[in-house]
Amino acid sequence: LNLAFVAHLFNTHPCLEPLEDTGEHAELDDYLFHDQYDREARAFALWLNSLNVDPFVNYLFEDIKDGIVLLQAFDTIFPGSVNWKKVNTRRPLMRFKQIENTNMAVDLGQAHNFSLVGIQGADLTDGVPTLVLAVVWQLMRANILQTLASLSSHGQRVTDQDMVQWANRVAQTGGQAQPIRSFSDPALASGRFLLDVLNGMKPGVVDPQLVTPGRSDEDMKQNAKYAISIARKLGATIFLLPEDIVEVKPKMILTFIGSLMAIHHT
């Protein structure tokens, strides 16, 4: 009862200044709840964790700021590329030591023909969302293309267009969807093309009764969920969400097709 009385007293007479309705507060709310980069960041964090980086990545923009996770990823994808004797690894690291590491990551990216114009190590240490995502995406893409090249009979580099052509060939055997021109083709939003690819990989795996016309947002999302579910059952490692398909996010759809190609060639 005493606790209830004190709680009531505080609620009615807190002796605190009322919060002002300022633009600063609204801006903070917008930052907290409308992070346009959050979905990609979660997908890229999952991918980094699949490489067994240490420490485990929970929040991408924070957990890569000292450069160590990025350097581990580079060394996994391009073995021997990192001179670990020059890497600052004793945590916690001062900011200038973190930047030395992230500068090394940028140099490695440039050495492997990443597009990093205007990106500096300090941008990664500061967690600038667009620039962090640009670096991690190119690492992930290199990993996918490298895996596909190792699985191909000739061992040559696989391009984005090679992946589009493969998807079109397989989809033709699995359904009636029109060919796509690229991974930004608006026709991908319905999910039907991806279901045709899956059905082409394993005839009969798609139940036509569960496929919607894909005209409404709800129908498109249902098809996208079904495609992801089937892909996982076939053994593909999937990092994208249904929304990435419905909104036609080219980067994430590339990872989806890449994963399907990988299991198709094994």
Side-chain angles (χ1 to χ4, degrees), residues 21-227:
D21 187 13
T22 66
E24 181 181 352
H25 293 147
E27 184 178 344
L28 177 62
D29 287 343
D30 187 60
Y31 170 77
L32 286 173
F33 300 110
H34 297 284
D35 186 349
Q36 61 178 310
Y37 309 109
D38 193 45
R39 209 161 64 220
E40 271 191 17
R42 283 200 301 269
F44 293 167
L46 286 171
W47 169 72
L48 284 169
N49 289 327
S50 75
L51 301 181
N52 295 317
V53 295
D54 182 30
F56 190 87
V57 178
N58 290 299
Y59 182 59
L60 182 71
F61 306 121
E62 180 67 25
D63 295 342
I64 60 89
K65 66 188 295 183
D66 65 9
I68 295 176
V69 164
L70 291 177
L71 292 172
Q72 289 176 19
F74 269 108
D75 210 31
T76 299
I77 299 166
F78 307 107
S81 62
V82 178
N83 183 350
W84 287 101
K85 292 181 180 179
K86 295 184 177 181
V87 179
N88 302 303
T89 57
R90 295 186 64 179
R91 294 185 175 99
L93 296 176
M94 299 290 288
R95 175 178 165 79
F96 79 94
K97 290 290 186 182
Q98 294 178 339
I99 293 176
E100 285 180 356
N101 287 348
T102 50
N103 277 334
M104 191 181 304
V106 171
D107 290 343
L108 284 169
Q110 292 171 338
H112 289 92
N113 300 316
F114 286 15
S115 177
L116 302 176
V117 178
I119 299 180
Q120 300 178 350
D123 298 318
L124 306 181
T125 297
D126 291 339
V128 180
T130 53
L131 304 185
V132 171
L133 293 175
V135 172
V136 180
W137 161 243
Q138 290 180 81
L139 266 170
M140 186 178 186
R141 181 174 177 275
N143 184 217
I144 293 169
L145 298 181
Q146 189 182 81
T147 300
L148 295 177
S150 69
L151 294 172
S152 66
S153 56
H154 45 71
Q156 294 181 352
R157 183 176 179 272
V158 177
T159 66
D160 292 13
Q161 198 55 38
D162 291 333
M163 298 172 71
V164 170
Q165 291 173 0
W166 174 86
N168 282 330
R169 285 197 306 271
V170 177
Q172 282 183 346
T173 66
Q176 294 81 38
Q178 293 294 316
I180 60 170
R181 297 182 301 275
S182 69
F183 292 128
S184 58
D185 194 313
L188 288 162
S190 73
R192 293 177 67 92
F193 178 84
L194 298 178
L195 288 168
D196 284 346
V197 172
L198 291 161
N199 205 52
M201 292 174 62
K202 187 175 181 180
V205 72
V206 176
D207 183 348
Q209 294 185 347
L210 297 180
V211 180
T212 74
R215 297 190 184 95
S216 69
D217 288 345
E218 190 58 38
D219 279 0
M220 291 189 288
K221 191 170 183 180
Q222 186 63 35
N223 287 344
K225 288 180 178 179
Y226 191 31

